Amino acid sequence: MTGTAPTAAQGPQDVPGTGTAEEVTYPDGRVELAEGAIPEGSRFANSDLHPVPMVKRHWTTYNFAAIWIGMAHNIPSWMLASGLIAFGMDWKQAVFTIALANVIVLLPMLLTGHAGPKYGIPFPVFARASFGLRGANLPAMIRAAVACCWFGIQTWIGGQGIFVLLGKIFGGWTEAAKIGGEPWTLWLCFVLFWALELAIIYRGMETLRRFENWAAPFVLVGAFVLLAWIAFKAGGFGPLLDEPSKLGWGPEFWPVFFPALMGMIAFWSTLSLNIPDFTRFGAGQRAQVWGQSLGLPTTMTLFALLSVFVTSGSQAVYGASVWDPVELAGKTDNVFGLLFALVTVLIATISVNLAANVVSPAYDLANLAPRFINFRTGALITGVIGVVIMPWKLTETPELYIYTWLGTVGGLLGTVAGILIADYWIVRRTRLQLAELYRVGGAYWYSSGWNWRAVAAFTVGGLLAVGGSYSAKGKGPYPADGLIPFLQPLADYGWAIGVTSSLLLYVLLMKAAPPKAPGTVR
């Protein structure tokens, strides 16, 4: 993509735009680069990193809502409530925690998402404004590493789901000879599912948009079918809804609530950074704001409620709470029901994994070496890394999954989000020099491509957010008194500490030591 030539300077409603020789600003505030504004052969650009031309910014409110519905309806989302109840919450406390977390994380989603439809740029290019052309690789690679891990986790969970359901259809499937401690048929399901995901994303973002448009309602229907089935079997819902909290609402509740809240926020904190990867295709700000607001908090809360109601029914039918939807679906003897469950698990897992965990690292890796890595190559690299990190180890226990994995990830990514929001909204007031984001020696070159202020804010914020990380004795990789003991009290609030501290420090540094020309903030 080289940009759409603004010779007629016509906006999306055939209204003349205004701007400079390099860019056109349309009446709705969106900006487009002129033909040739990005130098040919630039080592900081390729066609996947260029701003999306106006004619391709056509995603609607429904498209964004569908993306979120498709991403939220997945097995790990379903099991979030079970993880919280395992810590002693009742179902009302668990649903409240999940709902509040998603309302909170929506705010940085909307703030960072604003740059997408306005400038048509992906996350790693957006990060260049604050970190510098080279420095942007720091947050991009952190985000990419997290996404690769998530990709592996989701693929493993999806492969397990297929394995369990096929085991119900084909006798002996789950009793196959073991390799590496697991049946070879499970590894086969994992590999085949992995290959299917990469085959879809390899076709590009428009294929993903079309897939999400029909996947979202299909998975939602599947969840309600599961609810109707268990309600029919149970003749109503079991005692789980009346199960009292083991924590109450007193002093025992809050030490569990706050780290759990940070973990729930961290579940989508990855997308609060790279949401411009999607909003860059938006038809305008209204589409991304309404699409995300309608799609994220409502869907996650509804899914948490569904998981609680269905699990309650399982208590009545089987005498024990079955939180895993795959395990529950596998209890039916109806072949059609098993096949429907199998297809639903496939679509649900593919939907979230491609949108949440492949798009971002594909762009991030392309930003690392634009001449050699494009979107498709980045997606393939993501797939390989997602296997190498051995995702089956990250989901062994709720403590490891929610406190260690989600808590640490949330703290680091919250730090990056604070810097991006501070730079775009406070320092620059949403005004970027679009062509300069691709130009050596330009406004965002800083010191050899690095903005030391952003690096300093990230270092300090990250240290405060995760430096005190700790694990219960024998239940995690961290010392019981924290990596840095005097920071341990902050560890339970990692995401909030990261966002707040990095935002304040970045603004302070940019005001106290502003970049010299040509990098002076305007």
Side-chain angles (χ1 to χ4, degrees), residues 187-317:
W187 294 113
L188 177 63
C189 291
F190 174 63
V191 171
L192 291 178
F193 188 60
W194 173 87
L196 176 61
E197 291 176 311
L198 292 185
I200 294 174
I201 196 62
Y202 194 78
R203 297 179 63 85
M205 287 295 287
E206 274 303 293
T207 299
L208 176 62
R209 180 183 69 87
R210 290 192 292 269
F211 177 81
E212 296 288 352
N213 281 349
W214 67 264
F218 182 90
V219 175
L220 186 58
V221 169
F224 277 103
V225 167
L226 187 60
L227 176 64
W229 170 70
I230 198 65
F232 174 78
K233 296 275 290 185
F237 292 110
L240 186 64
L241 297 182
D242 297 323
E243 183 76 18
S245 170
K246 297 181 178 66
L247 305 172
W249 289 94
E252 293 183 355
F253 172 71
W254 302 109
V256 174
F257 169 75
F258 284 110
L261 180 68
M262 294 301 107
M264 297 305 102
I265 291 173
F267 192 79
W268 291 123
S269 65
T270 50
L271 269 294
S272 69
L273 297 186
N274 75 282
I275 196 65
D277 292 340
F278 300 93
T279 61
R280 66 193 297 231
F281 298 97
Q285 295 298 341
R286 182 183 297 271
Q288 73 101 1
V289 169
W290 279 104
Q292 293 201 80
S293 299
L294 293 173
L296 173 58
T298 55
T299 300
M300 286 295 292
T301 303
L302 173 63
F303 219 50
L305 281 169
L306 284 174
S307 72
V308 167
F309 293 152
V310 170
T311 305
S312 172
S314 72
Q315 172 76 30
V317 176

Side-chain angles (χ1 to χ4, degrees), residues 43 82 90 126 151 154 251 271 278 314 318 345 461:
R43 66 178 184 272
S82 65
D90 64 17
F126 176 48
F151 174 79
Q154 290 277 8
L271 269 294
F278 300 93
S314 72
Y318 301 108
V345 167

Side-chain angles (χ1 to χ4, degrees), residues 8 99 121 183 206 252 298 336 421 482 485 487 510 514:
I121 52 177
E206 274 303 293
E252 293 183 355
T298 55
F336 174 79
I421 292 169
L487 292 178
M510 288 294 281

Side-chain angles (χ1 to χ4, degrees), residues 136-157:
N137 285 316
L138 172 62
M141 287 301 99
I142 292 173
R143 173 64 184 96
V146 171
C148 289
C149 290
W150 268 123
F151 174 79
I153 289 171
Q154 290 277 8
T155 303
W156 177 252
I157 291 173

